[in-house]
Amino acid sequence: MSDCCSQPGLMPVETARERLLEALQPVPGTEDIPLELAAGRVLAEPVIAALDLPPCDNSAMDGYALRLADLESGKPLELIGKSFAGKPFTGMVNPGTCVRIMTGAVVPPGADTVVMQEQVEAREESVRVSGRVKAGEHIRRRGEDIREGEVLLAAGTRITVAHIALLAAAGVGSVTLRRQPVIALFSTGDELRQPGEQLTAGDIYDSNRTALKAALAGLGLEILDLGILPDTRSVIAGALERAALDADAIITSGGVSVGEADYTREVLEDMGEIGFWKVAMKPGKPFAFGRLQGTPFFGLPGNPVSALVTFYQLVLPALSIMQGGSWSAPQTMRARLLQPLNKKPGRTDFQRGFFRNDEQGMLVVEAAGTQGSHILSGLAAANCFIVLDRDSGPVAAGDMVTIEPLRAPL
Ligand code: AMP
Ligand code: MG
């Protein structure tokens, strides 16, 4: 499996993503979950409609249910009862009669049309209709939304709030979902401290693991947090071994570059296998993917922006597949660049940008702060990536560029 890491060339980011999508499978196992807790999760089985929706013809208006043919004579209609939502009229609408009806109430047998109350002059026991009335108007038909037996959602669907509304309306109380993968996570670095603790000289806070935990939690994944590890081979080896046993995938930050204390990739190479290392992207070049006793391993660079950009661009698609879902390329847009940007050919740039509509309503974009791989303030201010092709050089103000709006969980 060690093809790319021995080559001097970097793997194009598209190839790296394809390799990941091919290499990963959904984790086994399902669980039944109450519908309201299913948002963001992936269906393990299709959901079939057990009823028609609406379950019966009902009124779309507050008004009167009647027989259209009765209106020809122009005579008033006899008012014989009321149909309310949840309290249907139990009789029959015979010729010459009508029933007061409210929105959502069952249209009583015999009636074929609902006239809205604004068109009706109502007395105690009779009503007179004025204006034009169309046959069958203001009736929501049985089954016009959903048909009994129809597939409401296919297996593999990632459930949204709108899906939950659909399933709830169809009477579904719980759903069978894919088990969530367990993700082992640790960061490496002798300099790292937990936010909230005291820093000593040369230390920095561990922003990567903190942000990644939030991102994984946002995806509903189970996290096996192995904490901050020192730059010590044996400790890293021990953590990797435990992670391979107890988790479905391993995500680490730091130690995948070429420095003298960068042990994570070396240890993985000794204990498992590296699939590829080094991707032609900026930030994020030292990203590593491999396996340890079959468990997928994602080695993120230590630099904070690189860690989150590689997580977003490469690990998220892989996690989506492991969850049983799919992954489709993000929607991009073209925007006019408001300033020149530096760019060297050779790697795909994911520059942090801020896009908006200008006075004419056209999309414009500018850099969100400076672009260093340690500049978290720029990432925090960004609402998109400005994606610059691998082979492109510098871009000028006024050029059209591709932007990729940031989505959850970034
Ligand atoms: P490394 O990839 O371990 O060589 O780290 C590259 C840079 O990222 C160094 O400046 C590290 O101090 C920094 N870094 C590594 N891990 C983290 C982390 N978890 N949070 C914030 N910065 C980090
Ligand atoms: Mg380090």
Side-chain angles (χ1 to χ4, degrees), residues 8 14 31 71 83 97 99 101 104 123 125-126 150 193 201 220 232 236 267 274 323 341 354-355 372 394 403:
E14 300 80 10
E31 54 185 339
L71 298 181
S83 184
T97 70
V99 160
I101 194 164
R123 299 256 167 77
E125 274 162 9
S126 72
E150 137 186 15
R193 295 288 170 271
T232 307
I236 295 170
V267 171
I274 301 283
Q323 287 180 308
L341 292 178
F354 191 88
F355 75 99
I403 61 169

Side-chain angles (χ1 to χ4, degrees), residues 97-372:
T97 70
C98 69
V99 160
R100 177 84 170 116
I101 194 164
M102 302 300 163
T103 304
V106 175
V107 175
D112 56 25
T113 300
V114 168
V115 176
M116 57 183 194
Q117 63 190 33
E118 288 81 353
Q119 267 179 265
V120 169
E121 195 189 309
R123 299 256 167 77
E124 199 85 324
E125 274 162 9
S126 72
V127 305
R128 194 182 284 279
V129 177
S130 60
R132 277 197 54 204
V133 177
K134 274 205 334 235
E137 72 180 357
H138 305 317
I139 295 178
R140 303 161 170 168
R141 298 292 171 190
R142 171 178 180 158
E144 72 179 8
D145 190 2
I146 294 170
R147 282 274 174 213
E148 182 183 338
E150 137 186 15
V151 176
L152 289 177
L153 296 175
T157 303
R158 191 176 289 277
I159 296 180
T160 65
V161 170
H163 292 150
I164 289 179
L166 177 75
L167 298 191
V172 175
S174 67
V175 280
T176 306
L177 302 176
R178 291 274 189 181
R179 174 174 74 81
Q180 284 284 37
V182 179
I183 311 297
L185 177 67
F186 62 81
S187 52
T188 63
D190 289 332
E191 74 281 30
L192 300 178
R193 295 288 170 271
Q194 183 69 17
E197 284 177 6
Q198 197 66 37
L199 288 188
T200 48
D203 293 346
I204 56 166
Y205 289 115
D206 178 2
S207 57
N208 292 348
R209 190 173 115 269
T210 312
L212 291 168
K213 277 174 79 172
L216 296 171
L219 297 169
L221 294 156
E222 280 198 39
I223 302 165
L224 175 62
D225 182 8
L226 299 176
I228 299 170
L229 305 190
D231 292 311
T232 307
R233 278 173 199 270
S234 58
V235 177
I236 295 170
L240 283 176
E241 203 146 303
R242 165 150 186 230
L245 272 182
D246 292 346
D248 296 298
I250 307 164
I251 299 178
T252 69
S253 100
V256 290
S257 198
V258 290
E260 284 183 24
D262 286 333
Y263 298 136
T264 314
R265 185 189 50 82
E266 287 178 19
V267 171
L268 184 82
E269 212 165 11
D270 291 347
M271 297 172 59
E273 50 192 342
I274 301 283
F276 61 84
W277 177 46
K278 289 193 178 173
V279 180
M281 64 189 290
K282 189 181 176 192
K285 180 171 76 173
F287 177 86
F289 170 68
R291 281 185 195 275
L292 188 59
Q293 291 145 35
T295 306
F297 164 92
F298 306 95
L300 309 182
N303 274 307
V305 179
S306 314
L308 289 182
V309 173
T310 50
F311 175 78
Y312 187 88
Q313 292 292 340
L314 297 173
V315 182
L316 277 185
L319 292 177
S320 183
I321 300 298
M322 294 189 73
Q323 287 180 308
S326 57
W327 186 83
S328 51
Q331 305 271 313
T332 59
M333 301 186 283
R334 300 283 286 170
R336 190 168 302 284
L337 189 61
L338 293 177
Q339 71 192 103
L341 292 178
N342 280 329
K343 163 81 171 75
K344 283 193 213 130
R347 294 196 261 163
T348 304
D349 266 24
F350 295 94
Q351 301 208 14
R352 279 69 68 204
F354 191 88
F355 75 99
R356 59 185 167 80
N357 293 115
D358 69 7
E359 301 71 38
Q360 282 80 47
M362 304 303 285
L363 284 184
V364 293
V365 66
E366 58 199 315
T370 48
Q371 296 291 330

